[in-house]
């Protein structure tokens, strides 16, 4: 009945520093309500090395978002498994949150997107969202003009990842 699931990661933060990675996955154990992250880095920078230091006790604040936009955050311990490979283990009873996400979590200002609205497609950079999140401000990269689009009536494609 109880099972473990593996989720590919979209983003990983350790001590409020985003860690760029080649490959990262969360292995979550639903029986123990805990999991661990396996990370393969392209290169180990000074900042990454400072943040991902060996820690045997659950003291490192870690947060991550999976490809499905599930979230997990809590205190973890860190171990370097091999060169450029790390494992971050969460403490027991660290829940995996599967709540719905907001559009502002998917796309951020300055992301290049394609917006399809009323039969036309416009490409540009996201400038901002309205306070209630119902409108998107888009800047044309050529003319630098800003257009507003109703979020609920358009299809937004993040151009660098294919998310729709």
């Amino acid at each position: 009945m109880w099972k473990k699931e593996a989720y590919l990661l979209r983003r990983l933060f350790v001590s409020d520093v985003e860690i760029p990675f080649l490959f990262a996955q969360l292995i979550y154990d639903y029986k123990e309500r805990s999991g661990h992250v396996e990370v393969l880095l392209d290169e180990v920078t000074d900042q990454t090395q400072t943040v991902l230091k060996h820690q045997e006790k659950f003291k490192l604040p870690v947060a991550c978002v999976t490809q499905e936009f599930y979230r997990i955050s809590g205190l973890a311990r860190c171990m370097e498994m091999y060169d450029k490979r790390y494992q971050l283990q969460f403490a027991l009873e660290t829940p995996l949150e599967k709540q719905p996400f907001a559009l502002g979590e998917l796309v951020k200002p300055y992301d290049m997107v394609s917006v399809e609205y009323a039969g036309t497609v416009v490409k540009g950079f996201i400038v901002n969202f309205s306070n209630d999140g119902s409108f998107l401000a888009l800047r044309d990269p050529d003319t630098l003009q800003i257009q507003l689009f109703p979020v609920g009536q358009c299809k937004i494609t993040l151009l660098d990842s294919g998310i729709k």
Side-chain angles (χ1 to χ4, degrees), residues 10-22:
R10 192 174 286 282
R11 300 179 82 184
L12 172 65
F13 295 89
V14 178
S15 300
D16 292 327
V17 174
E18 186 165 8
I19 305 297
F21 53 82
L22 279 177

Side-chain angles (χ1 to χ4, degrees), residues 7-144:
Y7 302 97
L8 293 177
L9 292 189
R10 192 174 286 282
R11 300 179 82 184
L12 172 65
F13 295 89
V14 178
S15 300
D16 292 327
V17 174
E18 186 165 8
I19 305 297
F21 53 82
L22 279 177
F23 175 82
Q25 70 177 350
L26 167 68
I27 309 292
Y28 193 77
D29 186 331
Y30 285 93
K31 182 178 181 182
E32 294 180 353
R33 287 181 37 96
S34 179
H36 69 273
V37 174
E38 297 172 352
V39 185
L40 173 61
L41 303 176
D42 182 25
E43 63 177 315
V44 181
T45 63
D46 291 339
Q47 182 183 30
T48 307
Q49 199 168 28
T50 303
V51 173
L52 287 176
K53 58 182 175 276
H54 182 78
Q55 177 62 258
E56 290 187 19
K57 298 188 178 178
F58 296 100
K59 292 185 176 181
L60 283 176
V62 175
C64 54
V65 179
T66 68
Q67 290 290 330
E68 298 83 4
F69 295 97
Y70 299 159
R71 296 179 204 90
I72 187 169
S73 62
L75 296 177
R77 60 184 177 187
C78 178
M79 293 171 281
E80 184 173 4
M81 306 308 282
Y82 303 103
D83 186 41
K84 300 181 186 177
R85 292 177 188 248
Y86 293 85
Q87 187 177 82
L88 300 160
Q89 293 180 340
F90 287 100
L92 294 177
E93 298 297 320
T94 304
L96 180 63
E97 300 171 22
K98 294 185 174 184
Q99 285 88 15
F101 51 88
L103 183 62
E105 294 177 65
L106 286 176
V107 289
K108 302 285 184 216
Y110 307 111
D111 281 348
M112 182 67 134
V113 297
S114 168
V115 176
E116 185 178 334
Y117 175 69
T120 61
V121 176
V122 180
K123 292 182 182 178
F125 294 99
I126 293 176
V127 178
N128 212 341
F129 296 96
S130 61
N131 286 339
D132 63 358
S134 62
F135 283 91
L136 165 74
L138 192 71
R139 181 186 309 260
D140 185 294
D142 299 324
T143 64
L144 301 181

